[in-house]
Amino acid sequence: MKTPRARDGVIAKMVGTEMVLLDYDRGIYYGLNPVGARVWQLLQVGETMERILDRLAGEYEVTRETLESDVATLLRELEAKELVQGINGTRSRR
Amino acid sequence: MTFRYGVYGLSIEADAPIDGALAAAIPNEPDLRIFLHSMPPSAAALYATPPVFDDQNVTIFLDGGAYGFLYADGTRFAIDRSASTIWSAAPPSATLADTATYLLGPVLAFVLRRRGTLSLHASAVVVAEQAVAIAAAPGGGKSTTAAAFADRGAAVVTDDVLPIVWRGGEPYAEPGYPRLRLWPETVAARYGANDALPLLSPGWTKRYLDVGARFPRAALPLGAIVVLRERVAGAPRMARLGGHEAAMQLVANSSMALYLDAAMRVEELDRVTALVERVPLFAAWPSDDLARVEELCDIVAAAVTTGALSSPR
């Protein structure tokens, strides 16, 4: 899996341990919980998916299998909302 | 002849009286000039552009950075690119009080946003020398709750538009004007009869409570934000919000957000997240029994004065 990146036109702001994403062209806001926020931060600094999973496994008490499943679900949601681009080589439709 | 006012932290010079606004000594160069009986030469072109927003109440036009508002009753406002001049024209049937009702509500809320000030769609009252914002969707009970606070002696800071300014790294609430606009059923429930309070203007059904006696002349520290949610059967309740949920509640309750461009949205996110970091935010569920608004006031006052409900859930 290719490491996705934030689409142009999306910005993120931390609020405590959580995060708000703004798709500013469309004026739509999204919220990420602390784990989602951490995944977003790691994506933005260019970590590979493997490294992201390693980091999260060290930070949260959860099985690798659950982690992989949860992160994959999050990335699918982010892609469906066109907040990221580059998963499996895909490009944003915009 | 000119008339000078201070509203929402803006110094205003107008060519006719603004019904409800508080007269103030202002600098020679006001923040905002308002012409209540004339439109600029560019108005014809402005109103000929395709609308950028249209609903059953208002149509909005944009041309070269200037905005035009056209209300369903024919009242028009033109706002220049720098949001420092407003012109208006009203149909012969409208009074200055009608024009002031639009002006002190959505039009100045829009001007604030164009000038870069975050404003919440909220009333605010003073509790323990701090402003407490009461935000809600239209009809959500913010003015009713503010009236209940006013009746127990609290000063009212604003009715429907709450501009937030930053001083020394702390958020402050700017006062609006000394009136609370109330629906007739609220007037009847609180004051005994639909006509117990004066009409805003002859053409409107809303009435107003004069809160001039304790109205603050200067901005106050913003101590808490309460977002009213749906009414519930039984007792009102309240819970602390934090994180992204708090930020998104503020975004949802910011004034005139529909008309922000991309750059302004980015700015707004910065301001909203800064606010969430500094000010406790609560969700409150008012009772569907209007008489129980007093209990909601008690809960809000206790949370602000004692720090109860202080942990975000």
Side-chain angles (χ1 to χ4, degrees), chain A residues 11-16 18-33, chain B residues 242-248 251 260-263 265-270 273-274 276-277:
Chain A
I11 60 162
K13 288 285 288 188
M14 289 300 292
V15 188
E18 299 187 341
M19 184 175 270
V20 177
L21 300 178
L22 166 62
D23 179 342
Y24 56 79
D25 291 329
R26 296 167 176 165
I28 304 174
Y29 295 78
Y30 302 91
L32 290 179
N33 65 18
Chain B
H244 70 72
E245 192 178 5
M248 290 169 74
V251 166
L260 299 184
D261 59 28
R265 287 185 197 284
V266 172
E267 232 174 67
E268 174 176 82
L269 181 60
D270 282 340
T273 51
V276 169
E277 301 284 355

Side-chain angles (χ1 to χ4, degrees), chain B:
Chain B
M1 188 171 181
T2 56
F3 300 83
R4 299 179 153 209
Y5 301 98
V7 184
Y8 303 134
L10 297 172
S11 55
I12 295 174
E13 187 179 281
D15 65 349
I18 300 174
D19 194 39
L22 202 60
I26 62 166
N28 282 336
E29 192 56 38
D31 295 319
L32 189 59
R33 285 199 163 83
I34 300 178
F35 299 96
L36 284 159
H37 295 297
S38 62
M39 293 297 272
S42 57
L46 175 60
Y47 286 96
T49 59
V52 292
F53 180 84
D54 190 9
D55 70 10
Q56 56 185 7
N57 181 41
V58 64
T59 308
I60 299 178
F61 304 87
L62 170 63
D63 185 31
Y67 282 84
F69 282 48
L70 169 61
Y71 282 95
D73 67 359
T75 303
R76 291 168 186 245
F77 293 90
I79 300 160
D80 72 342
R81 186 187 180 88
S82 60
S84 57
T85 308
I86 299 174
W87 296 263
S88 76
S93 58
T95 64
L96 270 179
D98 292 325
T99 304
T101 303
Y102 291 122
L103 186 64
L104 294 174
V107 175
L108 284 187
F110 182 76
V111 163
L112 286 164
R113 300 307 298 262
R114 293 299 301 168
R115 296 173 69 95
T117 300
L118 173 67
S119 59
L120 298 180
H121 190 216
S123 300
V125 296
V126 180
V127 178
E129 296 175 10
Q130 303 173 89
V132 175
I134 303 160
K142 54 189 176 302
S143 299
T144 303
T145 310
F149 270 107
D151 291 343
R152 53 167 69 192
V156 172
V157 181
T158 192
D159 181 14
D160 197 49
V161 177
L162 175 61
I164 295 166
V165 294
W166 290 80
R167 291 181 187 163
E170 298 295 330
Y172 280 71
E174 287 281 9
Y177 58 94
R179 287 183 177 181
L180 278 177
R181 302 176 182 192
L182 299 170
W183 292 105
E185 52 269 36
T186 307
V187 175
R190 290 202 67 78
Y191 307 106
N194 278 10
D195 59 358
L197 296 178
L199 283 169
L200 271 176
S201 99
W204 294 61
T205 54
K206 274 194 170 181
R207 293 174 179 269
Y208 72 89
L209 177 67
D210 187 329
V211 293
R214 285 182 291 272
F215 190 73
R217 289 271 177 170
L220 289 149
L222 180 62
I225 300 168
V226 179
V227 179
L228 299 183
R229 309 282 279 268
E230 69 278 9
R231 295 178 188 282
V232 293
R237 58 193 173 85
M238 193 160 87
R240 177 87 189 261
L241 297 181
H244 70 72
E245 192 178 5
M248 290 169 74
Q249 283 293 323
L250 287 188
V251 166
N253 285 283
S254 68
S255 287
M256 309 302 282
L258 274 176
Y259 320 125
L260 299 184
D261 59 28
M264 291 169 74
R265 287 185 197 284
V266 172
E267 232 174 67
E268 174 176 82
L269 181 60
D270 282 340
R271 291 186 175 141
V272 159
T273 51
L275 200 52
V276 169
E277 301 284 355
R278 300 297 305 170
V279 180
L281 192 141
F282 303 91
W285 291 262
S287 172
D288 58 8
D289 177 358
L290 263 184
R292 299 188 80 162
V293 68
E294 306 299 335
E295 293 170 54
L296 180 61
C297 293
D298 290 340
I299 297 170
V300 171
V304 174
T305 54
T306 69
L309 300 166
S310 61
S311 303
R313 64 182 173 86

Side-chain angles (χ1 to χ4, degrees), chain A residues 47-66:
Chain A
E47 295 281 31
T48 62
M49 285 312 303
E50 202 57 31
R51 275 284 295 162
I52 289 172
L53 292 168
D54 289 344
R55 295 280 294 267
L56 292 174
E59 294 172 16
Y60 297 93
E61 286 185 15
V62 60
T63 65
R64 180 86 180 189
E65 193 180 26
T66 303

